[in-house]
Amino acid sequence: MSTEPNRTADRRTRVTHDVPSRSSNRQQLLWAILENLSEGVVACDAQGTLSFFNRATRDFHGIPEDAMSSEDWSEHYSLYRADGTPMAEDEVPLFRALRGETVRDAVMVIAPRTRDARTVICTGGPLYDTNGDLLGAVVAMRDVTEQIAAARQKEDLVRERELNEAKDQLLATVSHELRNPLTSIVGWTQLLQHSIESDDARVALAAIAAAAQMQSQLIADLSDVARISAGKLTLQREWKLLHEILDIAVQGVRLPAEAKGIALLVPASYERVLVDVDPVRLQQVFWNLLTNAVKFTPAGGTVTVGMRVKPDTVCVEVRDDGPGISAEFLPRVFDRYAQEKSGRRAHSGLGLGLSIARTIVELHGGSIVASSAGAGTGAAFSVTLPRASSEERLSS
């Protein structure tokens, strides 16, 4: 049992895999127990000839039940250390045990030719008769492939969380440092727009103002992430009619929608639904969903806004006919920093808007979900909020 068994097992030219004598019920029971163990068990005699390997061992190594010579082993599997480098003969747990060593928790990777590699923990030692003479050696192998994969996944999640925490800290610092100079840029730009008569200068200042506004929104997102991470994002609640908040957000995206020739379809009238919300924060959620819809919808497309009212809840849906969201990315669409790296929906940005929107909605006791049938089918985002009870409506 080595990386190249046909080269390193010159003394081990025969495998005997004969079923023990059936003359003893005890032997038959022992045989059945060993065959049905989930752990692999392999034994050799004092000359190093394999004398037994159970079903689990055969499964690990991808070898048939029939006996075979050691020259045939390499056709079925190779052995590696935990780091993926080939295992030398003197490192193979069974051969270590045959030299008289007690093997405890030795890690070995078995790579069969016809199936996935398995990582096993090996424990074993030499076998002696009552006179102290060496009979051979035995090693038991426990499959820990899934446990190792789970541990690595956990480590990856911990690293990802630590990285996100570092990002949050950096973003909090950057947003704080950028806010003051950007406020000055916005203020002076607005002042100049009212005092300069040149058309070219006005166009230039309008471009500067638009860029500054985009940067202001980015900094606002960074500040929100910092507040969310610190648990300091709070709501200033008041009773409001939901359609009034939604209409403000719709009006905020009409100009960019018209610039792309996108039809913005909204109901002719809304049912009057009273909600206990932070209107500024909820407007931020709707504006984010509408802005994304306009951004991802191709020129000449359609963005549809709808509202469904139930006895205890109200749902606002924003639907676009853009490229859609892939099935692989859909479960992560609200994750912080998550961005679809490929496909027609890939865009630059920090991947913060939807994450912030989810937090705001959940702070309101609501939920937000995304749906898409796949590429080319568009996407829909639905925000569900609790509505006022009858008593609350009367008192308001």
Side-chain angles (χ1 to χ4, degrees), residues 7-54:
R7 298 179 182 176
T8 60
D10 53 337
R11 294 186 298 112
R12 305 163 183 86
T13 58
R14 186 173 59 87
V15 174
T16 61
H17 187 237
D18 301 325
V19 177
S21 171
R22 299 301 193 269
S23 61
S24 167
N25 288 336
R26 185 175 180 181
Q27 286 180 312
Q28 293 182 37
L29 179 61
L30 177 61
W31 171 263
I33 291 173
L34 291 172
E35 272 291 278
N36 288 281
L37 285 176
S38 59
E39 290 78 12
V41 179
V42 59
C44 67
D45 61 21
Q47 287 71 46
T49 300
L50 285 181
S51 54
F52 177 83
F53 42 89
N54 67 347

Side-chain angles (χ1 to χ4, degrees), residues 280 344 346:
V280 175
R344 289 174 292 173

Side-chain angles (χ1 to χ4, degrees), residues 204-266:
L205 286 172
I208 294 173
Q213 184 59 44
M214 291 176 61
Q215 294 301 311
S216 294
Q217 182 58 51
L218 177 58
I219 291 174
D221 286 348
L222 299 180
S223 298
D224 284 345
V225 168
R227 293 191 188 99
I228 291 170
S229 299
K232 296 180 179 179
L233 186 66
T234 58
L235 302 180
Q236 304 298 320
R237 289 177 177 267
E238 56 182 293
W239 291 104
K240 296 289 290 186
L241 291 171
L242 183 60
H243 74 272
E244 293 179 350
I245 301 172
L246 179 59
D247 188 58
I248 294 173
V250 169
Q251 296 307 318
V253 298
R254 281 199 180 277
L255 285 179
E258 291 174 358
K260 289 182 66 175
I262 293 173
L264 193 57
L265 303 182
V266 299

Side-chain angles (χ1 to χ4, degrees), residues 5 45 117 119 181 372-373 377:
D45 61 21
T119 301
S372 176
T377 62

Side-chain angles (χ1 to χ4, degrees), residues 1-12 70-74 89 95:
M1 297 178 59
S2 67
T3 306
E4 297 293 344
N6 59 326
R7 298 179 182 176
T8 60
D10 53 337
R11 294 186 298 112
R12 305 163 183 86
S70 60
E71 285 80 4
D72 296 328
W73 297 351
S74 62
E89 177 186 357
F95 295 165

Side-chain angles (χ1 to χ4, degrees), residues 324-339:
I325 305 172
S326 68
E328 294 77 14
F329 184 71
L330 193 59
R332 299 182 54 243
V333 72
F334 293 106
D335 290 354
R336 192 182 305 171
Y337 307 115
Q339 293 175 291

